[in-house]
Amino acid sequence: MKQPARRVTAAMVAEHAGVSTATVSLVANGKSSGRVSKKNEERVLEAIRELGYYVDSIGSSLAKGVSSLVILVAPDISNPFFAKVITGVRSVLGNDYQLLLSVTDAGLSPSAAETRRLLGLRPAGLLVHAPTQEFLDDLAGPLPLVALDAPRIDESIPAVNMDVAQGAEDVVAHFAKLGHTKAAYLDASTGTDTLTVRREAFLAAAQRYGIEVLPSSIDSCMIDVKVASELFEQRWDSWRADGVTALGCATDNHAFGVLHAARKLGLDIPSQLAVAGFDDLPYSATSSPGITSVRLNATEMGRQAALKLREILDGRSPQELQSTLPSSLMVRGSTQPEGAR
Amino acid sequence: MKQPARRVTAAMVAEHAGVSTATVSLVANGKSSGRVSKKNEERVLEAIRELGYYVDSIGSSLAKGVSSLVILVAPDISNPFFAKVITGVRSVLGNDYQLLLSVTDAGLSPSAAETRRLLGLRPAGLLVHAPTQEFLDDLAGPLPLVALDAPRIDESIPAVNMDVAQGAEDVVAHFAKLGHTKAAYLDASTGTDTLTVRREAFLAAAQRYGIEVLPSSIDSCMIDVKVASELFEQRWDSWRADGVTALGCATDNHAFGVLHAARKLGLDIPSQLAVAGFDDLPYSATSSPGITSVRLNATEMGRQAALKLREILDGRSPQELQSTLPSSLMVRGSTQPEGAR
DNA sequence: GCATATTAGTTAAGCGCTTGACGAATCTGC
DNA sequence: GCAGATTCGTCAAGCGCTTAACTAATATGC
C-alpha cells in the first residue's frame, strides 16, 4: 500500500470520513465507546484503512505529555543473557507500549547524561539494567522507573534482583563439599554493583565455609573471553604455588577464558582446578567440560520488572517494591568429573 | 541537581535570561553563530545550566518534522555478534543522533506492522538488520534507510552485506583440501535471506569442488545450541551411513550443538567428522575443539551502514549504494587436529 | 552622508494531536 | 408534555519547539 510522500494526518482522515479530528482521535485511540456512534466509528475506521493512517506519536505525545515508549537502558548487551531479559520484558509490555533499547558504553554503568537526553522523548517509563545509585540520583525527577539487577540501590526505588548471595553460597558450599580449602576469584573490572556483590558474597561465604581466599588470589579483568584467558595464564603459576584448587569466576565468560587457558597450559579441569561461574550462558552447558554455573533467570527478571513498571504506570503502587529472584546452581564437569554425580 | 516536578521549558529559560524563546532555541541548537551576540549566548547558556534545561525532543521533532532518532530494527539480538554491530553503529552516530534498538520477534524477519508504528516517532533514519524484500515493500514511503546483512534485496536500497559466498567457498575448499567428498549441512529455520544465502552458497561451492551433499543431508532447526544438538543426535546415524565426513553449519551456535552431541555420542571431532560454521563468535575460538568458522566483521558492518545512513541524511547520495565486506575463514580444531596446521 | 550590508533579536505561525468544556439531539420517567 | 438524563459530536486551547519573515540597530563602501 504505497503512500504519497505527504504523511496522512488526522485532519485528512476526518475530512474523508466527514467528521471532526476530535472524533478521529477518539476512534484511533479506542476511546470511542459512549462518545462516538457505531455508524461514525465505522466510517472513521474505514477512512483510516483507506488512507493508511497511523497516529503520529510525536503529535500525540506532545498533546498527552507522555509517549508510549518504554526505554530499556543497558550498559552492555553483548552478554547473551541480556536477550532473555528483553524477551521477558516484551512478553509483558505487548502492544501497549513500544520497547526501545538504549545501549550505553559496554561494560560500564549506564550514563546519566546520555539517558537524560532520552527523557526528552517523554518515555512512559524507564527500565534500567545495573544502574549505580549515582546514576539514579543524576537522573532526578520522579519518572516511572524500575531497576534490574541493581542490588545496592536505595530501597525506595522499585527493582528486581537476583539472589546472587544464595548463588555464591551454593558455589562455595559445593567447593567445600568437594574438599577444597583454598580458592581464587577471577573478578570483572566494571563499575557495576552486580559484580561487586558477587565477589563480596563469594568471599563472605568462603569465610563461613572455612575456605581460604588469599587477597592475592583475587584479580579482575574485562568481561571478555580472550582477556580472561590471558589473565589466568599469567596468574596460574602463582595461584598454584599458593595451593589454590578451586576458582570462582564473576561470569561464565571468564570461566570460558579459563577453560581455554587451561587447555593451553595442559591443566586438567576439574581434577587440578575446579571452576565455577555465574550466568549459566547457553554455551556453558555445552562446552567441554560443561561449566558449573549459577543460573539466573533472566527472562523472569525482565518479566517481573516490566510487570512492576506496568503497575506503576497504571497508578497502582507495587505491593513489593523490590523483589529478588532465586538462583540455582548448575553443577557440571568443570567442578566434578562427569559420572561422579 | 534535583528538579521540581514541572518540566523546564524553553520559555522559562527565556524569561530567566531575559530573551525570547527563539534565541533560546538558537543557542540550544548551536545555531547561534551570526544570530546571537556573545553576551546573550552566555546568559542563555547560564540559564540553561541553572535551570537544568534540556531540549524536549517531542516538541522539537514536531516542529522540525523529524527527530534525531536512528532506529536499528533487529529481529534477533541474542546473537553475541549483534553487539558488535551496535558498537560499529554507535562509533559513527556519536552524539548527533540517538540510537535506539527495536527488537522484533527473535529469529524471524523484522515485522513491518511493528516497525510502521515506530515511524510515528519520525526517526531521522532506519537501520534494518536482515530484512526481507517484503518487509521493505510493506514499509513504504521514502525514508532514509540502510539495510544490513540483506543479500537479496532490491538494488536500489542502500545496504551493507557480508561476502558470504566467499566464506562458504572457503569452507568447502578447506573441506576438499582435507579430502572430504561427502558433506551434510545443518541449516537454520528462520525466514531470513541471510541464512538462505549461506546454504545456497555452500551447496553451489560443494558442487564446484566435487563434494556431494545429499538432499537428505540438509536439515534445519532453530538457532539454539540445545535444539541443534538434539537434531544432530537424531541425524547422525543416517548421515554416517551415507558416508558423510564433513558438516557445514549455518551458524556457530549450530556447531556448538553438534560439538555437544558429538561428545555425548562418543564421536571424535574432527577425525570422524569435520565441522565448520559461520559467525566466528567469541566462544568459537575457545571451545574444545575450537570451531572452524567464517569470520564476519560485524563491527565494520555496523560502521559502514551508519556511515551510509549519515551520507543520506546529509543529502549526499552514497557513491556506492550497496557494499560487501570480505569474510575470512578461521581454521580451528573442529576441522583439522591442532598441530597439523 | 546616504544607500546598502550585516548583525542581533523578536514575532508569530504552525507542527499533529488530545481533551475539557460545551451544545444539540434524543431518550426517560411520570 | 416536559425537566432531566443520556448520547453523540464539535470547538478550540493548548503541548514545547523551530524558523521564515520582519524590525531595529549598527557597520560599511563610496
Side-chain angles (χ1 to χ4, degrees), chain A residues 15-318:
Chain A
E15 197 189 6
H16 197 85
V19 296
S20 71
T21 64
T23 305
V24 172
S25 174
L26 257 13
V27 173
N29 287 298
K31 293 184 183 166
S32 46
S33 97
R35 309 272 284 118
V36 181
S37 63
K38 267 267 166 281
K39 196 196 72 183
N40 266 0
E41 183 170 356
E42 269 312 313
R43 295 179 57 173
V44 172
L45 252 18
E46 168 85 25
I48 287 180
R49 231 171 297 130
E50 223 159 280
L51 300 177
Y53 170 77
Y54 55 94
V55 177
D56 181 297
S57 348
I58 295 291
S60 164
S61 304
L62 186 55
K64 290 204 232 185
V66 63
S67 74
S68 62
L69 250 41
V70 167
I71 303 186
L72 172 51
V73 181
D76 177 16
I77 67 150
S78 70
N79 202 313
F81 150 106
F82 203 75
K84 292 195 187 173
V85 175
I86 293 172
T87 305
V89 170
R90 277 171 51 89
S91 75
V92 172
L93 256 31
N95 285 322
D96 305 332
Y97 297 96
Q98 295 166 278
L99 176 69
L100 246 31
L101 246 66
S102 165
V103 183
T104 62
D105 289 309
L108 298 167
S109 183
S111 128
E114 214 162 329
T115 304
R116 197 177 297 114
R117 303 178 66 188
L118 292 175
L119 263 34
L121 288 171
R122 310 261 196 126
L126 243 50
L127 254 20
V128 198
H129 189 240
T132 55
Q133 181 65 42
E134 191 196 352
F135 168 85
L136 296 170
D137 288 343
D138 270 12
L139 222 49
L143 98 164
L145 178 151
V146 176
L148 292 84
D149 222 346
R152 308 220 139 161
I153 59 173
D154 205 286
E155 284 187 359
S156 64
I157 296 171
V160 181
N161 292 313
M162 303 291 202
D163 195 350
V164 168
Q166 184 61 52
E169 167 121 18
D170 290 347
V171 168
V172 171
H174 178 62
F175 281 162
K177 199 170 144 203
L178 292 171
H180 296 280
T181 54
K182 258 195 180 161
Y185 190 76
L186 191 55
D187 203 1
S189 56
T190 67
T192 57
D193 294 333
T194 320
L195 299 175
T196 310
V197 165
R198 290 182 184 185
R199 183 188 63 240
E200 290 179 0
F202 183 87
L203 296 180
Q207 195 154 26
R208 280 198 301 282
Y209 280 83
I211 290 184
E212 193 179 357
V213 185
L214 293 176
S216 67
S217 306
I218 304 173
D219 213 330
S220 65
C221 63
M222 271 172 54
I223 304 185
D224 181 288
V225 178
K226 226 163 273 170
V227 177
S229 167
E230 287 160 12
L231 179 66
F232 177 79
E233 223 173 307
Q234 289 167 29
R235 286 293 168 276
W236 174 236
D237 272 347
S238 128
W239 287 353
R240 179 171 48 188
D242 284 342
V244 166
T245 59
L247 174 66
C249 294
T251 74
D252 277 5
N253 268 1
H254 288 93
F256 274 110
V258 171
L259 251 52
H260 184 63
R263 210 168 296 128
K264 250 175 102 177
L265 297 171
L267 165 67
D268 186 65
I269 310 278
S271 72
Q272 295 180 263
L273 180 72
V275 178
F278 280 86
D279 288 343
D280 190 32
L281 300 185
Y283 307 100
S284 307
T286 56
S287 69
S288 162
I291 296 174
T292 293
S293 183
V294 176
R295 167 173 291 181
L296 306 170
N297 193 338
T299 312
E300 187 59 19
M301 181 167 78
R303 223 181 58 81
Q304 292 207 12
L307 237 30
K308 218 157 263 188
L309 185 61
R310 286 204 79 138
E311 285 185 298
I312 298 172
L313 293 178
D314 293 350
R316 301 170 278 147
S317 57

Side-chain angles (χ1 to χ4, degrees), chain B residues 289-330:
Chain B
I291 296 174
T292 293
S293 182
V294 177
R295 166 172 292 181
L296 306 169
N297 194 337
T299 312
E300 186 59 18
M301 182 167 76
R303 223 180 58 82
Q304 292 207 12
L307 237 30
K308 218 159 263 185
L309 185 62
R310 286 204 79 137
E311 284 185 302
I312 297 172
L313 292 177
D314 292 350
R316 300 170 279 147
S317 56
Q319 58 273 67
E320 212 188 356
L321 217 49
Q322 300 195 334
S323 50
T324 300
L325 263 36
S327 64
S328 58
L329 185 67
M330 308 304 291

Side-chain angles (χ1 to χ4, degrees), chain B residues 68-298:
Chain B
S68 63
L69 249 41
V70 167
I71 302 187
L72 172 50
V73 182
D76 178 17
I77 67 149
S78 69
N79 202 313
F81 149 107
F82 203 76
K84 293 194 185 170
V85 175
I86 293 172
T87 306
V89 171
R90 277 171 49 89
S91 76
V92 172
L93 256 32
N95 284 322
D96 305 333
Y97 297 96
Q98 294 166 278
L99 176 68
L100 245 30
L101 247 63
S102 164
V103 183
T104 63
D105 288 308
L108 298 166
S109 181
S111 129
E114 212 161 333
T115 305
R116 197 178 296 114
R117 302 179 65 190
L118 291 176
L119 264 34
L121 289 170
R122 313 264 194 122
L126 243 50
L127 255 18
V128 197
H129 189 241
T132 56
Q133 182 64 43
E134 192 195 352
F135 169 86
L136 296 170
D137 287 342
D138 271 12
L139 222 49
L143 96 164
L145 178 150
V146 176
L148 294 84
D149 221 346
R152 306 218 140 162
I153 59 173
D154 205 286
E155 284 187 359
S156 63
I157 297 171
V160 181
N161 292 314
M162 302 290 201
D163 196 350
V164 169
Q166 184 60 53
E169 168 122 16
D170 289 348
V171 169
V172 171
H174 178 61
F175 280 162
K177 200 170 146 203
L178 293 171
H180 297 281
T181 55
K182 259 198 181 160
Y185 189 75
L186 190 55
D187 203 2
S189 56
T190 68
T192 56
D193 294 335
T194 320
L195 300 175
T196 310
V197 165
R198 290 182 185 184
R199 184 188 61 238
E200 291 179 1
F202 183 87
L203 296 180
Q207 195 155 26
R208 279 199 301 282
Y209 280 83
I211 290 185
E212 193 179 356
V213 185
L214 293 177
S216 67
S217 306
I218 305 173
D219 212 330
S220 65
C221 64
M222 273 170 54
I223 305 184
D224 180 288
V225 178
K226 228 163 272 172
V227 176
S229 167
E230 286 160 14
L231 180 67
F232 176 78
E233 224 174 305
Q234 288 167 29
R235 288 291 169 276
W236 173 236
D237 272 347
S238 128
W239 286 353
R240 178 171 49 186
D242 284 342
V244 166
T245 57
L247 174 67
C249 294
T251 73
D252 277 3
N253 268 1
H254 287 93
F256 273 111
V258 171
L259 251 51
H260 183 63
R263 210 168 297 130
K264 250 174 102 176
L265 296 170
L267 165 68
D268 186 66
I269 310 278
S271 72
Q272 295 180 262
L273 181 72
V275 177
F278 280 86
D279 287 342
D280 190 32
L281 301 185
Y283 307 100
S284 307
T286 56
S287 69
S288 160
I291 296 174
T292 293
S293 182
V294 177
R295 166 172 292 181
L296 306 169
N297 194 337

